[in-house]
Amino acid sequence: MELSKISAKLALKAVTAVDITGLSVDTGYAGDLLSDVLAHAEPESLWITIQKHKNILGVAAAKDLSAIVISGGIVPEKDMLDAAQERHIPVFTSKESTFILSGKLFLLLNEHDL
Amino acid sequence: MMEFDIQGGDFLNAGESSGVIKEYMKRIGLPHPFIRRVLIAAYEAELNVVAHAQKGTLHFTMEEQRVIITVKDTGPGIPDVERAMQKGFSTASSEVREMGFGAGMGLPNMKQNSDTLTINTEVGKGTEVIMEFML
């Protein structure tokens, strides 16, 4: 499913200006343990996490993740967002919890409308 | 061959070498699943140096049918490699754990994603990790 469509449906707030045209999301992964995400996330996943430091970008890049969503109303710092911009990794934020976002994403990807 | 310096404790810049390696492997057209294997292992190895050592280096070598990543550090060394290879075993600080590292998955991830993993380590001196990835 198109990332732009998912972003709209989940009411995600884009905090980078990375162009998401043509990017798609096949599945999702929720987790705050970076090694776990490195080991288990699938390429083209939407990754939902409460981590907000720069290393999440390394994980997203290594795994070819489609985008990162920082959940729970956590606000990332400009430093990280600048680095994300530079590396063309789209980052979003949401006030919703990881649980709620994951549930909604699962429904969307399995063709249940919200 | 490419060489990168790794600074112990510098989590903010960790992963930059993996970024450069990724671009290079993409440019020369290596298959994506192969690139991912190399990156996961290289990133974990680099993070180990950042989390445990004062400083280190990462070497990337591309040969005709394989990639070799060598990560060398002047750190505390690993007293019990067999134990360190077990999933979930970690000696990372609580500060490191809060960042989402130090879950005892680094070495297992490196082993799973490489074709061969060699660890040469001496307590008090440092550690050298050599990983080979066959194309």
Side-chain angles (χ1 to χ4, degrees):
Chain A
M1 185 178 280
E2 280 169 30
L3 176 58
S4 57
K5 191 173 171 190
I6 287 173
S7 157
K9 286 271 185 191
L10 298 180
L12 303 177
K13 182 180 170 196
V15 286
T16 53
V18 177
D19 184 11
I20 61 166
T21 316
L23 290 183
S24 65
V25 171
D26 281 351
T27 181
Y29 202 79
D32 308 317
L33 215 52
L34 273 58
S35 287
D36 171 60
V37 180
L38 273 175
H40 299 122
E42 298 286 333
E44 304 216 354
S45 288
L46 186 67
W47 175 24
I48 305 166
T49 183
I50 56 167
Q51 297 286 4
K52 60 167 184 170
H53 55 80
K54 261 191 190 171
N55 299 102
I56 59 176
L57 303 174
V59 173
K63 293 295 283 192
D64 284 327
L65 305 180
S66 297
I68 303 170
V69 181
I70 301 172
S71 61
I74 289 167
V75 181
E77 274 149 41
K78 190 176 173 296
D79 236 30
M80 192 279 278
L81 297 176
D82 288 347
Q85 187 73 39
E86 213 170 284
R87 297 177 74 167
H88 307 289
I89 299 168
V91 179
F92 297 88
T93 59
S94 169
K95 288 210 163 74
E96 308 250 47
S97 70
T98 296
F99 171 72
I100 298 291
L101 286 172
S102 305
K104 286 184 175 178
L105 179 64
F106 182 87
L107 291 176
L108 270 179
L109 290 174
N110 288 281
E111 293 174 5
H112 294 270
D113 203 3
L114 295 176
Chain B
M1 194 183 85
M2 288 187 264
E3 183 181 322
F4 305 88
D5 287 328
I6 310 169
Q7 195 58 45
D10 183 12
F11 280 100
L12 289 185
N13 292 310
E16 275 179 13
S17 57
S18 322
V20 176
I21 293 171
K22 179 182 183 181
E23 286 314 311
Y24 172 77
M25 288 191 292
K26 269 168 82 174
R27 204 168 54 237
I28 62 169
L30 297 181
H32 281 208
F34 180 82
I35 294 178
R36 273 195 292 275
R37 284 205 296 134
V38 174
L39 287 178
I40 291 168
Y43 192 44
E44 291 282 17
E46 187 183 351
L47 285 170
N48 271 350
V49 176
V50 175
H52 297 287
Q54 287 84 37
K55 60 179 180 180
T57 52
L58 184 150
H59 282 89
F60 169 92
T61 312
M62 176 84 233
E63 290 177 0
E64 207 167 317
Q65 286 302 322
R66 63 176 183 168
V67 161
I68 302 166
I69 301 262
T70 307
V71 179
K72 220 187 252 189
D73 70 49
T74 49
I78 306 171
D80 186 343
V81 175
E82 205 178 307
R83 208 162 163 216
M85 289 304 300
Q86 287 171 11
K87 261 190 190 168
F89 177 78
S90 174
T91 57
S93 67
S94 56
E95 195 189 351
V96 169
R97 287 168 200 260
E98 271 168 32
M99 293 181 78
F101 303 118
M105 294 180 69
L107 284 171
N109 272 355
M110 283 151 65
K111 189 177 170 66
Q112 199 183 346
N113 285 286
S114 57
D115 290 294
T116 65
L117 168 70
T118 311
I119 301 174
N120 302 313
T121 184
E122 196 178 333
V123 173
K125 286 257 170 83
T127 301
E128 178 186 53
V129 171
I130 306 160
M131 295 179 287
E132 193 182 27
F133 307 84
M134 310 305 286
L135 262 166

